[in-house]
Amino acid sequence: MYLTGLECPRCKEKHAADRLQNLCHCGSPLLVRYDIGALARDIDRDDVLRGRDDMWRFSSFLPVPEDKIVSLGEGMTPLYSLDGFAGEIGMDCITIKDEGYNPTGTFKSRGASCGISMAAHLGAETVAMPTAGNAGGAWSAYAARAGLDCVIAMPEDAPEITMKECALYGAETYLVRGLISDAGRIIGTACERYGWFDVSTLKEPYRIEGKKTMGLELAMQLDWDVPDAVVYPAGGGVGLIGIWKALEELELAGWIGPERPRMIAVQSEGCAPLVRAFEDGRTDSDFWEGAETIAGGIRVPKALGDFLVLEALYDSGGRAVEVSDDEIMDVLLTLARTDGSFICPEAAAAVAGVKRMREEGDLTRDDEVMVINTGSGLKYADLLEADLPVLDKEDEINVTPEGE
Ligand SMILES: *Cc1c(COP(=O)(O)O)cnc(C)c1O
Ligand SMILES: [Zn+2]
């Protein structure tokens, strides 16, 4: 264990990591700090190659004592290239890191595994959170595994499967006629009233550590190198902050060099607070009124960690990009045909962002781009239509020969 404590990235105040913590007094999320120097002296980067077959192979970069890990085998997701699609948009190398392989079908499993492990370890009994859907499914599953009670509130138009997941795992689940921000207010009030532990995005410090493992893994999978750009569909932006933090810690440990990918955050035109802030050169974002997009996971009107996302974009020479819902749907359908890959609409936004940037000349043919497919398309069956011919038992298939 190399955990040393918690630190506020805004006012720099230090907080203890041996009790349940939410935000800093100043309202900022807290970040977890480690003795990376000691870690680097004890552990060789190639030791992790022989580690567990899930994200906990990086447990030295994580805050959970070995015997307190609550795991369903999350992480160590595969990389594969989108050759068909890349060729169509004039690029040589677009790689997907496919988080759809996680236990609950999205990368939210990583944050939930780490967050629930710590919540249970530090004595929480009931955890509560607002969600766009996928986080609810993941935290419900890990809460069930840890024996914690779980309360979830989600927009009533969240993907149906995510509602059923929460109910299935036994979480007390509420549907809200409103956005994730409305669900957040309801949960916040209930946490104050009932003493539940608020595990909203970034309101506890450990979800980001779980998501950080995406960055640790991708460097390892590239043989301790980094791509030219990491493209991420940003809602709260936790995954992006996590990947950025991972690369910083890996460099401190001497496991990678000082090179960094450009960090690219992609949002939908119907909810693009980070894009607006980036374009105005600001370090925080405004609440986005009337948020609307088919990519529910990135329908976040105001991110608590917006300043951390924007800092990573500026520091990495990256940027924020917005795409339309039509482009998102078009890319989702196209990728299935060109590459046999059924990604979630959020990741389709990210790939559409790559296409935009290539068209604008902001990416070159030989830029190595890694897109995080944050979840499996299989969780989004409600977005698709398939109008198929139906045969009677005695019917035959009559294919019309071409040209007739
Ligand atoms: C939650 C979610 C996102 C956004 O994740 P953040 O790290 O909060 O920005 C993107 N895609 C999917 C599928 C999600 O569930
Ligand atoms: Zn602070």
Side-chain angles (χ1 to χ4, degrees), residues 193-359:
R193 185 173 302 161
Y194 300 114
W196 298 337
F197 185 49
D198 190 338
V199 293
S200 307
T201 302
L202 288 176
K203 283 198 183 159
E204 60 76 53
Y206 300 109
R207 180 199 295 225
I208 184 176
E209 294 303 293
K211 294 188 173 185
K212 182 181 84 177
T213 57
M214 289 190 288
L216 300 172
E217 282 175 22
L218 76 83
M220 183 201 77
Q221 288 170 311
L222 297 178
D223 200 13
W224 308 112
D225 202 353
V226 295
D228 293 313
V230 169
V231 186
Y232 187 84
V238 186
L240 190 146
I241 301 167
I243 292 170
W244 189 244
K245 185 171 189 280
L247 299 178
E248 179 185 303
E249 291 174 359
L250 285 173
E251 187 191 348
L252 274 175
W255 292 17
I256 63 170
E259 259 162 55
R260 289 289 188 282
R262 295 176 71 197
M263 300 298 291
I264 315 291
V266 184
Q267 298 199 295
S268 166
E269 282 172 4
C271 181
L274 294 168
V275 180
R276 206 56 75 245
F278 179 84
E279 285 173 350
D280 294 343
R282 292 180 43 192
T283 52
D284 64 354
S285 64
D286 290 329
F287 187 93
W288 188 277
E289 298 292 343
E292 174 122 39
T293 167
I294 55 168
I298 55 175
R299 193 177 59 172
V300 178
K302 164 82 183 167
L304 199 53
D306 53 1
F307 67 106
L308 296 171
V309 178
L310 289 161
E311 195 175 278
L313 302 187
Y314 295 128
D315 287 357
S316 69
R319 62 179 275 202
V321 185
E322 64 191 323
V323 295
S324 68
D325 274 8
D326 286 346
E327 289 172 88
I328 293 174
M329 211 51 208
D330 183 56
V331 162
L332 188 147
L333 299 175
T334 303
L335 272 194
R337 303 290 176 97
T338 56
D339 294 88
S341 178
F342 182 12
I343 63 176
C344 62
E346 293 82 3
V351 177
V354 172
K355 184 163 179 261
R356 274 265 183 120
M357 287 176 68
R358 179 68 186 116
E359 283 161 5

Side-chain angles (χ1 to χ4, degrees), residues 8-13 15 24-30:
C8 173
R10 191 178 280 152
C11 76
K12 306 295 169 200
E13 185 173 334
H15 298 257
C24 182
H25 312 296
C26 77
S28 165
L30 297 174

Side-chain angles (χ1 to χ4, degrees), residues 66 79 86 104 109 130 146 150 157 163 212 231 241 284 295 332 358 367 383 385:
E66 209 82 28
L79 305 184
T104 60
S109 302
C150 185
D157 59 352
M163 299 172 187
K212 182 181 84 177
V231 186
I241 301 167
D284 64 354
L332 188 147
R358 179 68 186 116
D367 274 334
L383 283 183
E385 282 162 45

